Amino acid sequence: IEEFSDSDKEEIINLFNKLSVTPLVNLHNVTQTKQILEKKYIENSIEEFESLLASTSETPTLEKKWQTFLQKHNWIFSTIFAQPIILFQREAYVGGKTVDNSDGKFADFLLKNNLSNNVSFFEIKTHLTKLTEDKPYRGSDVYGASKELCGCINQVLNQRDNFQKEFYSLKYKSKSEIETFNSEYIMLIGNLSILKPEQLKSFELFRANYKNVNILTFDEVLNKLKIFLSLLG
C-alpha cells in the first residue's frame, strides 16, 4: 500500500464505499477493482523508473539505487524474460573463492524459472554506462564497444564459469531446488537514446552477434513496461 499516494488511497476508499452500498458485489466489480489497483501500481512503478532514468550524474550509489528498485519491483523480471521467472537471490554468491577466502564472485540477481528451477543471472550497471567508445575505431561510422561494456561481459562470463564449476557444491549448501541448464545471462546497461546513428548501428551489430550474454538497455526495459501497461487497458 505504500506505493500509493494519499490521494490514491482516498480514491480507493471511495471506490470501495461505492461498492459497499451495491446490493450485490458481483465478480465483475471485484475484478474491475483489482485491475484498477494493479494498473495504478504499475503506473507508479514506471514513474519511479523514469525518475531514476532522469539522473544525469554517475554517482557511486546510482547502481545500488537501480538494484534496490528492481528488488522492490521484482515483477519486472517476468516482463523481461519469456519464462515464469521469480527473484531467487540478490547479490548471490556464485563461487570463485580462493583458499584465503578472497576473490569470491557475486551476481547482482540470481533468478529462477519457477517450473524448471533453471537459474539465470541478471547483472546491472547504470543507464549512464557507455555502450560504445566516443570516437570511431575506423573511418567515421565504425565504433568499438566501450571498455565498460566489454569489462561487464567478461565479468558475467567469469561468474557463470565459476558457478558451473562449483554448482553441485553450491546446490548442496543452499538446500534449494536449483538447476543450471546453459543458464542465461542478462545484462542491463546503458541507454540507446544517447547514441548517435553510427554508434547505434555499431552497438546493434555487436549485440546481435554476441550470443553468450543478452544485453538490454534501460530505455528498452522502460518501453517494455509501457507496452505491458497499455495491455491493461
Side-chain angles (χ1 to χ4, degrees), residues 162-199:
N162 280 281
F163 182 79
Q164 291 174 334
K165 287 176 179 176
E166 300 184 34
F167 172 70
Y168 290 104
S169 174
L170 293 169
K171 179 179 180 179
Y172 173 77
K173 291 177 181 178
S174 72
K175 301 187 185 303
S176 300
E177 291 296 324
I178 57 173
E179 299 292 344
T180 176
F181 306 121
N182 194 25
S183 294
E184 184 177 8
Y185 252 109
I186 285 190
M187 181 192 308
L188 183 56
I189 183 172
N191 215 332
L192 293 180
S193 63
I194 64 176
L195 298 178
K196 297 185 294 186
E198 296 82 6
Q199 290 174 309

Side-chain angles (χ1 to χ4, degrees), residues 74 77-78 83-89 110-114:
N74 54 73
F77 291 120
S78 293
Q83 303 171 15
I85 288 292
I86 61 171
L87 173 60
F88 181 66
Q89 179 68 46
L110 188 64
L111 309 176
K112 186 174 80 167
N113 184 307
N114 205 26

Side-chain angles (χ1 to χ4, degrees), residues 131 145-153 187 189 203 206 215:
L131 297 174
S146 70
K147 177 181 178 181
E148 293 87 350
L149 177 57
C150 292
C152 188
I153 289 174
M187 181 192 308
I189 183 172
F203 170 72
F206 176 85
I215 304 170

Side-chain angles (χ1 to χ4, degrees), residues 183-232:
S183 294
E184 184 177 8
Y185 252 109
I186 285 190
M187 181 192 308
L188 183 56
I189 183 172
N191 215 332
L192 293 180
S193 63
I194 64 176
L195 298 178
K196 297 185 294 186
E198 296 82 6
Q199 290 174 309
L200 179 61
K201 177 184 176 182
S202 293
F203 170 72
E204 287 290 17
L205 289 171
F206 176 85
R207 175 166 65 172
N209 287 278
Y210 207 98
K211 304 302 182 183
N212 293 319
V213 179
N214 189 358
I215 304 170
L216 278 176
T217 64
F218 283 85
D219 48 353
E220 286 175 322
V221 171
L222 177 60
N223 190 52
K224 282 176 177 282
L225 298 181
K226 289 182 174 181
I227 292 173
F228 181 66
L229 178 62
S230 69
L231 296 177
L232 297 179

Side-chain angles (χ1 to χ4, degrees), residues 59-201:
T59 63
T61 60
L62 184 56
E63 187 174 322
K64 287 292 183 184
K65 287 179 180 179
W66 278 115
Q67 291 174 353
T68 300
F69 170 83
L70 285 172
Q71 183 176 20
K72 178 181 176 183
H73 304 289
N74 54 73
W75 60 270
I76 292 175
F77 291 120
S78 293
T79 69
I80 295 174
F81 286 79
Q83 303 171 15
I85 288 292
I86 61 171
L87 173 60
F88 181 66
Q89 179 68 46
R90 177 178 171 180
E91 295 184 342
Y93 171 67
V94 294
K97 282 187 178 181
T98 61
V99 292
D100 61 357
N101 203 36
S102 62
D103 290 337
K105 306 299 187 292
F106 295 84
D108 285 339
F109 291 102
L110 188 64
L111 309 176
K112 186 174 80 167
N113 184 307
N114 205 26
L115 298 178
S116 69
N117 296 320
N118 190 33
V119 295
S120 300
F121 302 86
F122 200 94
E123 195 69 23
I124 304 171
K125 293 307 175 184
T126 78
H127 62 285
L128 297 176
T129 306
K130 289 182 180 180
L131 297 174
T132 71
E133 295 295 337
D134 294 328
K135 296 181 180 180
Y137 175 73
R138 285 287 186 273
S140 61
D141 61 346
V142 178
Y143 286 79
S146 70
K147 177 181 178 181
E148 293 87 350
L149 177 57
C150 292
C152 188
I153 289 174
N154 283 334
Q155 175 188 343
V156 297
L157 291 177
N158 188 41
Q159 288 174 0
R160 184 171 68 176
D161 180 64
N162 280 281
F163 182 79
Q164 291 174 334
K165 287 176 179 176
E166 300 184 34
F167 172 70
Y168 290 104
S169 174
L170 293 169
K171 179 179 180 179
Y172 173 77
K173 291 177 181 178
S174 72
K175 301 187 185 303
S176 300
E177 291 296 324
I178 57 173
E179 299 292 344
T180 176
F181 306 121
N182 194 25
S183 294
E184 184 177 8
Y185 252 109
I186 285 190
M187 181 192 308
L188 183 56
I189 183 172
N191 215 332
L192 293 180
S193 63
I194 64 176
L195 298 178
K196 297 185 294 186
E198 296 82 6
Q199 290 174 309
L200 179 61
K201 177 184 176 182

